[in-house]
Amino acid sequence: MTREDPFCAEGSACFRIGTDPQGNAYIAIAGAEDTYLADSREALRAMILDIKAGKADHLL
C-alpha cells in the first residue's frame, strides 16, 4: 500500500489516504493505520469530488 502524508487541520485528527495496486483506497487516522476504511479508488474519488463540491458542508 502507498500512503500519502497525513492531511491535518488545526486542532483535529490527521487522516492518511492510501491506495494499493489492486485498485483499493484506504482512509485511516494517522497513527492508527491498522484500523482503516477501505473501498474502491472510484468511491474515494467520488467522495473527494462531492466534498469539494460542498455536499458535506452541513457537517462543518
Side-chain angles (χ1 to χ4, degrees), residues 7-55:
F7 294 94
C8 302
E10 187 176 323
S12 65
C14 296
F15 295 94
R16 294 197 70 188
I17 295 175
T19 57
D20 67 21
Q22 290 76 38
N24 300 306
Y26 303 85
I27 301 174
I29 296 173
E33 286 86 355
D34 290 339
T35 304
Y36 53 82
L37 171 69
D39 207 326
S40 67
R41 287 184 185 191
E42 293 80 19
L44 175 63
R45 183 178 190 279
M47 181 185 71
I48 291 170
L49 290 173
D50 284 349
I51 290 169
K52 288 176 73 173
K55 293 182 180 180

